[in-house]
Amino acid sequence: MRGNGGLSIWIVFSSIVSVAIAQDPELGSARVVFQTSYGDIEFGFYPTVAPETVEHIFKLVRLGCYNTNHFFRVDKGFVAQVADVVGGRKAPMNEEQRLEAEKTVIGEFSDVKHVRGILSMGRYDDPNSAQSSFSMLLGNAPHLDGKYAIFGKVTKGDETLRKLEQLPTRREGIFVMVYLYYYFGWVLSPEKKT
């Protein structure tokens, strides 16, 4: 769905192999594309770095759990954070969606660095409390290294991230929140092999 901050997602599989560079693990072939009213953002995933996290996120996407969810936090130069689906969705969830969304994922911490474009799980103080909230890094954040599970990175769409950074925000405690919630829908397209 497109519209006010609307976001749609497609999973696309390609046979293009990314060239791994120092401390940048090889991406798997799966891609998820977010379509927003600000432009598209494509994600690649690190199944060898965080296999349980990647599997969990894909299951949430396939079940449509992120439909009608939103970015609740956009902190320029730091993160754009997607809300946890249990509390962030406008639409009610069916039982299968709710059960998956309430699952926690173990903290799969790695040596991969928190730099612009990285996808990193949100969690509470418990390192094994991640559920479905995650951030797209908008800058380098070495203070998060080894403390939050990195499971992928933005492969296309940095210009869209730059547009998100321009959204109006307000400070709530330690968080920088967007003034308006930007809801989006996630739509899966047929898998493609190229």
Side-chain angles (χ1 to χ4, degrees), residues 40-41 116-117 137-138 154-163 165:
D40 295 350
I41 306 169
R116 186 175 182 87
L137 273 283
L138 301 174
V154 173
T155 55
K156 294 180 186 173
D158 191 63
E159 64 284 350
T160 302
L161 293 180
R162 292 188 193 292
K163 291 176 186 175
E165 288 183 280

Side-chain angles (χ1 to χ4, degrees), residues 33-112:
V33 178
F34 286 36
Q35 285 190 318
T36 77
S37 56
Y38 303 103
D40 295 350
I41 306 169
E42 180 185 274
F43 297 161
F45 298 89
Y46 297 137
T48 60
V49 172
E52 290 188 35
T53 303
V54 169
E55 182 180 331
H56 179 64
I57 293 294
F58 273 127
K59 187 165 186 183
L60 290 169
V61 170
R62 283 191 300 272
L63 290 173
C65 291
Y66 289 100
N67 290 343
T68 71
N69 201 357
H70 64 276
F71 292 103
F72 78 93
R73 176 182 184 192
V74 179
D75 194 341
K76 187 176 183 174
F78 183 44
V79 297
Q81 189 167 357
V82 174
D84 189 82
V85 299
V86 172
R89 281 172 63 100
K90 285 177 71 175
M93 288 190 279
N94 65 39
E95 186 68 10
E96 184 180 17
Q97 289 172 322
R98 189 185 59 72
L99 288 172
E100 188 64 29
E102 290 176 347
K103 285 183 182 175
T104 57
V105 182
I106 62 165
E108 296 178 294
F109 309 124
S110 68
D111 293 333
V112 181

Side-chain angles (χ1 to χ4, degrees), residues 118-134:
I118 283 294
L119 305 179
S120 181
M121 289 300 288
R123 65 171 175 79
Y124 298 103
D125 288 336
D126 179 347
N128 298 315
S129 63
Q131 290 182 303
S132 58
S133 179
F134 66 91

Side-chain angles (χ1 to χ4, degrees), residues 16-20 24-31 43-48 151-155:
I16 299 171
V17 177
S18 299
V19 176
D24 192 13
E26 185 174 333
L27 291 168
S29 61
R31 298 290 183 269
F43 297 161
F45 298 89
Y46 297 137
T48 60
F151 65 95
K153 74 175 185 178
V154 173
T155 55

Side-chain angles (χ1 to χ4, degrees), residues 129-187:
S129 63
Q131 290 182 303
S132 58
S133 179
F134 66 91
S135 296
M136 293 168 261
L137 273 283
L138 301 174
N140 298 343
H143 64 286
L144 302 179
D145 292 347
K147 298 175 185 172
Y148 291 84
I150 291 174
F151 65 95
K153 74 175 185 178
V154 173
T155 55
K156 294 180 186 173
D158 191 63
E159 64 284 350
T160 302
L161 293 180
R162 292 188 193 292
K163 291 176 186 175
L164 289 174
E165 288 183 280
Q166 301 309 312
L167 296 174
T169 59
R170 68 186 185 285
R171 184 159 292 283
E172 287 187 18
I174 63 168
F175 296 113
V176 177
M177 316 298 274
V178 289
Y179 270 110
L180 300 171
Y181 288 131
Y182 291 88
Y183 287 94
F184 49 79
W186 299 43
V187 178

